[in-house]
């Protein structure tokens, strides 16, 4: 089976840094995606990791360790607009397995 | 470039009634997905198309759900009859089918069954 775990909810302060973790156990692996989803809206692509290491994209970075089945999304200089759900998804031969998402609340 | 378009955005129906959702993917995207998303959960795959062929429908409840993708472009997802537990957001997504496999989602169709 496929098992993807993320914390349900996190709270952080505007301007701070937050790390959202994702652990996975899947029968195959072709990459890991992070998506952002604001309430009532469609998920939008944030990042993609296929090799171990850190991928940086502006204020957002994503890390992958395939041997540990672990990834994290790092958000720096938090803004109020970053309040959203963050979905971790494992990609395996044209199939995406999504975690339940982490709801991030950014407070002033 | 236009994104994935879905309609209707919202639908409220009585249980046992039929309902249909429509999706127009990004031009040139051969792979189309229908997902179901319950509140506070991640998307769950219902069906995946490669062009006009349904290549993965193992999670589609075929007793009441059906889908089609005529000419490998637009797709329709139908529920007949709807049950209370079908209340959810139905997301359509498309992908160019490249190695990275990035998904582009539509805004979803929110179904409420009373």
């Amino acid at each position: 089976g496929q098992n993807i775990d993320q914390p349900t909810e996190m709270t952080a302060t505007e301007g701070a840094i937050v790390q959202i973790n994702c652990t996975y156990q899947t029968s195959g692996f072709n990459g890991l995606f992070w998506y952002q989803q604001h309430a009532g809206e469609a998920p939008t692509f944030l990042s993609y990791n296929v090799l171990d290491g850190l991928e940086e994209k502006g204020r957002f970075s994503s890390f992958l360790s395939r041997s540990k089945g672990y990834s994290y999304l790092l958000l720096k200089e938090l803004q109020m607009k970053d309040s959203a759900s963050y979905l971790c998804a494992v990609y395996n031969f044209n199939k995406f397995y999504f975690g339940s998402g982490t709801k991030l609340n950014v407070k002033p | 470039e236009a994104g994935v378009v879905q309609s209707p955005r919202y639908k409220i129906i009585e249980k046992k009634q039929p309902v249909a959702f429509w999706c127009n993917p990004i031009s040139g995207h051969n792979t189309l997905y229908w997902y179901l998303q319950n509140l506070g959960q991640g998307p769950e795959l219902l069906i995946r198309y490669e062009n006009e062929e349904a290549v993965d429908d193992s999670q589609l409840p075929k007793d009441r759900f059906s889908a089609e993708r005529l000419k490998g472009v637009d797709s329709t997802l139908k529920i007949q009859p709807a049950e209370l537990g079908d209340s959810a957001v139905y997301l359509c997504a498309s992908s160019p089918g490249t190695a990275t496999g990035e998904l582009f989602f539509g805004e979803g169709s929110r179904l409420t069954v009373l």
Side-chain angles (χ1 to χ4, degrees):
Chain A
Q2 323 295 333
N3 192 35
I4 301 171
D5 288 318
Q6 308 178 231
T8 303
E9 192 165 358
M10 300 179 71
T11 300
T13 304
E14 193 176 14
I17 299 173
V18 70
Q19 178 176 311
I20 302 174
N21 295 324
C22 171
T23 58
Y24 64 90
Q25 291 177 304
T26 57
S27 56
F29 182 87
N30 293 120
L32 190 138
F33 287 80
W34 284 94
Y35 281 83
Q36 180 189 58
Q37 187 175 27
H38 285 101
E41 298 182 12
T44 54
F45 170 78
L46 283 179
S47 70
Y48 168 68
N49 294 72
V50 64
L51 300 176
D52 291 353
L54 189 68
E55 293 282 341
E56 296 188 79
K57 255 177 139 181
R59 294 190 299 114
F60 292 14
S61 303
S62 57
F63 172 83
L64 175 67
S65 169
R66 289 172 295 171
S67 62
K68 295 182 179 178
Y70 169 69
S71 174
Y72 68 72
L73 181 69
L74 193 71
L75 293 77
K76 304 174 187 175
E77 301 169 13
L78 279 174
Q79 301 176 8
M80 298 301 292
K81 68 178 181 180
D82 297 330
S83 292
S85 287
Y86 292 85
L87 299 164
C88 170
V90 172
Y91 180 57
N92 179 26
F93 294 109
N94 285 328
K95 281 193 171 184
F96 287 81
Y97 299 95
F98 285 88
S100 295
T102 299
K103 185 179 179 184
L104 175 65
N105 303 301
V106 180
K107 60 180 185 179
Chain B
E1 179 182 283
V4 177
V5 179
Q6 290 188 246
S7 68
R9 287 293 314 278
Y10 304 93
K11 189 74 176 179
I12 301 174
I13 61 172
E14 303 263 332
K15 63 180 180 182
K16 300 186 182 178
Q17 293 299 305
V19 63
F21 305 112
W22 174 81
C23 173
N24 179 242
I26 292 173
S27 178
H29 283 194
N30 297 326
T31 309
L32 184 146
Y33 303 76
W34 282 102
Y35 283 91
L36 177 153
Q37 187 174 29
N38 287 303
L39 188 64
Q41 299 295 314
E44 299 171 34
L45 180 67
L46 289 172
I47 189 167
R48 173 170 66 94
Y49 283 93
E50 294 291 344
N51 298 303
E52 65 274 10
E53 183 182 357
V55 295
D56 186 351
D57 63 356
S58 57
Q59 303 301 311
L60 190 72
K62 297 182 185 64
D63 56 336
R64 298 184 300 107
F65 286 65
S66 64
E68 61 181 7
R69 190 183 184 195
L70 299 176
K71 300 181 182 178
V73 182
D74 294 0
S75 179
T76 303
L77 177 70
K78 297 179 181 177
I79 308 174
Q80 183 171 10
E83 297 179 351
L84 295 176
D86 296 332
S87 294
V89 176
Y90 293 84
L91 291 165
C92 178
S94 69
S95 169
T98 60
T100 60
E102 179 186 341
L103 283 178
F104 296 82
F105 284 91
E107 292 189 308
S109 295
R110 181 178 295 276
L111 173 66
T112 301
V113 182
L114 303 176

